[in-house]
Amino acid sequence: MFRKICLTVLTCFRPAEFTQRRFHSLFLPRNMPIRVAVIGAGAGGLCAMRHLLARPDVFDGVCFEQCPIVGGTWVYTDRVGTDEYGLPVHSSMYKNLRTNLPKEVMAFPDFPFKDNLPSFVFHQEVLQYLQDYSDHFNVTDKIKFQTRVDSVRPLKSNNSEPKWEVQYCNVFSQTKKQTELFDAVIVCNGHYSIPLVPDIPGLDKFKGRVLHSHDYREPDAFKQKRVVCLGAQSSGMDIMVELSTVAQTVFISHNKAPLTSKLPSNVEQKPGIVRFTEDSVIFSNEDEQKIDSVVFCTGYKYTFPFLSESCNLKIENERVTPLYKHLIHTEFPTLSFIGICKVVCPFPQFHFQVLVALSVLDGSLKLPSQNDMNQDIEKDYQHRLSQGLLPRYAHHMGPRQWAYNDELADMAQCPRLDQQVMELYNTVHEWRARDAATYKKMNVTLEKA
Ligand SMILES: Cc1cc2nc3c(=O)[nH]c(=O)nc-3n(C[C@H](O)[C@H](O)[C@H](O)COP(=O)(O)OP(=O)(O)OC[C@H]3O[C@@H](n4cnc5c(N)ncnc54)[C@H](O)[C@@H]3O)c2cc1C
Ligand SMILES: NC(=O)c1ccc[n+]([C@@H]2O[C@H](COP(=O)([O-])OP(=O)(O)OC[C@H]3O[C@@H](n4cnc5c(N)ncnc54)[C@H](OP(=O)(O)O)[C@@H]3O)[C@@H](O)[C@H]2O)c1
Ligand SMILES: *[C@@H]1O[C@H](CO)[C@@H](O)[C@H](O)[C@H]1NC(C)=O
Ligand SMILES: *[C@@H]1O[C@H](CO)[C@@H](O)[C@H](O)[C@H]1NC(C)=O
């Protein structure tokens, strides 16, 4: 069943002669490969490297990763706060996490998970999958591990694309900086590391335990406790289910339409929180409950601390601009960002985003003018608002992701994603909406073409 997918994807590698012919839209004709810096060796960075390295005649890729291994957020650690080098812990994995998408949907289109695994796998198996992907495509050797990028700066030149000055250091000796120049930078630093914690009155007076899902690892400390999970997306629902197995009572609090899922018998659904006291929480329906702990499952913030001011990247209300198709910086098309979108099937989407970013670099995709791209961004945003989406949902995809993936595939002139992925994604969505506590026990299968 996967053989078919693998074969079709191969056609996205155009013959060298084709790419060389139109090599010049961003870079003057030259014999040297385009040097690309990839920041991060999570799924996004590995995918970028996999496609860069497949075309050594055109590209030369170097990947910078602060951790000692590949995998990004899938590298589980018991630690919270800072790691052994004093850097903030990157991963938000918890000990018993299983995927919320089946492996048949999660996989990169050119690299299936192992057949013998169930559909919903543990985080260790995703990490193994990413390591296998990295090894299979000979990416691992090209990664500078334990190397943190501190600064990325465009060195403008008059009539060609800027060079990028990338400054980095070894995590063991953070004062010794090194600098290298690149033709392009692909940013793949992830965006599920910096907690977004709402400012709720009285929180400073609350004496119980307060934590964000980023720092949640296991349920043991919540035995027989009364706990509130605020936020009912993936983290809120999943942690609520796990806590319900040990806690006395779990309140799942959120401001959305009422949940349709069955809930464990010791779970109560509540509206959002308006206030805390020393030992209780007050929900927006004025209901007050004594609680021991609150877990903020309220999401994460985008952050690109290494981009200099001169990169002109703005983050306002969780909207990152100016990124054409959530991907290409309109002022600097040699600066791209993999994985900005939320509520998506990440790995397949990274695949298409990477192929588009590389098509821009190799010249095979001609971009509209900067002005037209900026207008396209604004049009997309206004369209979202007109459909009733909140301003902070500028990069939320959900049902929009399939047309977006197809659009990217067409831009990169590569095969579109198998339609079955969308169908299975929607099926699983329905299962989860019906019973969040049991859907991960199911298996799905891709049908042979
Ligand atoms: C708790 C949780 C559960 C999830 N579950 C699923 C799931 O079930 N299925 C699914 O498909 N997706 C899931 N996701 C989404 C997940 O984020 C994506 O699958 C994917 O792993 C994101 O990859 P990434 O490369 O964008 O980011 P990351 O995996 O975060 O990788 C970014 C990498 O960049 C490195 N880095 C950052 N800054 C620097 C720097 N300055 N210098 C050097 N290196 C740097 C980091 O160390 C890290 O290795 C989950 C996410 C979370 C947080
Ligand atoms: N494999 C798994 O089972 C699993 C488990 C956990 C996480 N994940 C993944 O991890 C990523 C992050 O998920 P996430 O759930 O942590 O973040 P998220 O998807 O951003 O969800 C955060 C939720 O918190 C809500 N929220 C924020 N502030 C609030 C407030 N003051 N009051 C009430 N609600 C508030 C948000 O509501 P608004 O929508 O209104 O902003 C949103 O619903 C996703 O990719 C997810 O799929 C997967
Ligand atoms: C799903 O598949 C796994 C591994 O193949 C198997 O162990 C498990 O029993 C299956 N689950 C169901 C509900 O069939
Ligand atoms: C990886 O490198 C090995 C050894 O050089 C080579 O045989 C193999 O074909 C490479 N794999 C890929 C996918 O390019």
Side-chain angles (χ1 to χ4, degrees), residues 94 97-100 192 196 198 200 213 230-236 238 253-256 297-300 342 390 392-393 396 439-440:
Y94 38 94
L97 181 134
R98 285 173 86 165
T99 60
N100 57 356
Y192 293 126
L196 204 154
I200 299 178
S213 57
L230 180 64
Q233 280 306 307
S234 306
S235 293
D238 210 48
S253 160
H254 65 96
N255 292 315
K256 308 257 177 186
C297 304
T298 41
Y300 295 86
K342 296 188 172 180
L390 298 167
R392 65 174 181 276
Y393 286 9
H396 281 221
Y439 76 97
K440 294 183 179 187

Side-chain angles (χ1 to χ4, degrees), residues 116-118 441 443:
N116 61 351
L117 295 171
K441 293 187 179 137
N443 291 317

Side-chain angles (χ1 to χ4, degrees), residues 81-342:
T82 52
D83 67 14
E84 55 268 56
Y85 317 109
L87 299 172
V89 167
H90 180 82
S91 177
S92 300
M93 276 300 131
Y94 38 94
K95 205 167 205 163
N96 297 313
L97 181 134
R98 285 173 86 165
T99 60
N100 57 356
L101 296 173
K103 67 174 194 205
E104 292 76 6
V105 167
M106 253 184 91
F108 289 112
D110 52 1
F111 197 75
F113 278 79
K114 295 216 161 73
D115 275 343
N116 61 351
L117 295 171
S119 284
F120 295 90
V121 301
F122 285 100
H123 62 78
Q124 293 88 338
E125 279 140 1
V126 180
L127 180 63
Q128 185 63 53
Y129 167 85
L130 291 174
Q131 286 171 344
D132 291 347
Y133 176 86
S134 182
D135 290 343
H136 177 79
F137 292 109
N138 294 329
V139 169
T140 316
D141 292 343
K142 291 283 188 167
I143 300 170
K144 284 184 195 274
F145 286 109
Q146 298 187 301
T147 305
R148 189 187 65 196
V149 170
D150 289 320
S151 144
V152 170
R153 202 158 65 95
L155 303 180
K156 289 209 182 182
S157 72
N158 283 337
N159 45 21
S160 66
E161 292 300 320
K163 287 271 183 193
W164 293 94
E165 186 194 77
V166 174
Q167 192 184 68
Y168 56 91
C169 66
N170 188 294
V171 293
F172 299 109
S173 52
Q174 292 174 33
T175 48
K176 276 197 222 138
K177 310 277 186 200
Q178 277 179 281
T179 300
E180 264 183 71
L181 292 185
F182 291 89
D183 298 306
V185 174
I186 306 185
V187 177
C188 312
N189 65 328
H191 50 73
Y192 293 126
S193 289
I194 310 295
L196 204 154
V197 179
D199 186 14
I200 299 178
L203 183 58
D204 51 334
K205 295 190 194 74
F206 179 63
K207 293 211 166 116
R209 183 163 182 214
V210 178
L211 92 168
H212 186 274
S213 57
H214 173 61
D215 297 322
Y216 174 81
R217 294 291 178 269
E218 55 178 345
D220 294 8
F222 299 89
K223 269 193 189 123
Q224 291 306 314
K225 304 283 185 202
R226 292 166 64 82
V227 193
V228 183
C229 291
L230 180 64
Q233 280 306 307
S234 306
S235 293
M237 294 300 283
D238 210 48
I239 292 172
M240 168 271 285
V241 167
E242 185 164 287
L243 290 178
S244 73
T245 62
V246 303
Q248 184 199 97
T249 307
V250 183
F251 302 99
I252 177 91
S253 160
H254 65 96
N255 292 315
K256 308 257 177 186
L259 299 170
T260 52
S261 168
K262 278 193 223 163
L263 296 174
S265 57
N266 58 342
V267 174
E268 289 180 38
Q269 191 173 175
K270 297 286 177 191
I273 299 176
V274 287
R275 199 153 46 83
F276 287 91
T277 70
E278 280 190 6
D279 61 354
S280 73
V281 61
I282 294 137
F283 299 107
S284 63
N285 61 358
E286 292 176 16
D287 179 14
E288 176 168 2
Q289 294 284 343
K290 292 257 182 282
I291 53 159
D292 302 297
S293 322
V294 53
V295 184
F296 286 110
C297 304
T298 41
Y300 295 86
K301 295 184 211 171
Y302 291 103
T303 169
F304 308 96
F306 43 84
L307 293 184
S308 70
E309 288 254 315
S310 50
C311 294
N312 288 339
L313 191 82
K314 303 256 172 317
I315 308 172
E316 275 166 344
N317 201 3
E318 294 312 294
R319 181 176 182 222
V320 188
T321 56
L323 299 184
Y324 181 58
K325 306 294 174 195
H326 312 274
L327 174 65
I328 308 284
H329 195 305
T330 62
E331 184 184 347
F332 303 110
T334 54
L335 177 62
S336 54
F337 297 76
I338 304 303
I340 292 290
C341 297
K342 296 188 172 180

Side-chain angles (χ1 to χ4, degrees), residues 2-68:
F2 284 107
R3 202 160 296 142
K4 177 200 125 215
I5 304 176
C6 296
L7 284 178
T8 49
V9 165
L10 284 181
T11 57
C12 63
F13 301 112
R14 303 175 207 96
E17 163 267 321
F18 173 88
T19 46
Q20 237 121 53
R21 205 161 12 108
R22 313 209 213 145
F23 205 31
H24 326 140
S25 59
L26 284 175
F27 302 101
L28 297 170
R30 51 195 239 169
N31 307 320
M32 273 171 18
I34 301 170
R35 285 205 80 213
V36 185
V38 173
I39 302 175
L46 292 175
C47 183
M49 288 298 282
R50 174 255 183 279
H51 291 285
L52 284 166
L53 298 181
R55 297 166 65 194
D57 50 330
V58 185
F59 297 113
D60 176 19
V62 179
C63 178
F64 298 94
E65 171 53 58
Q66 65 195 2
C67 291

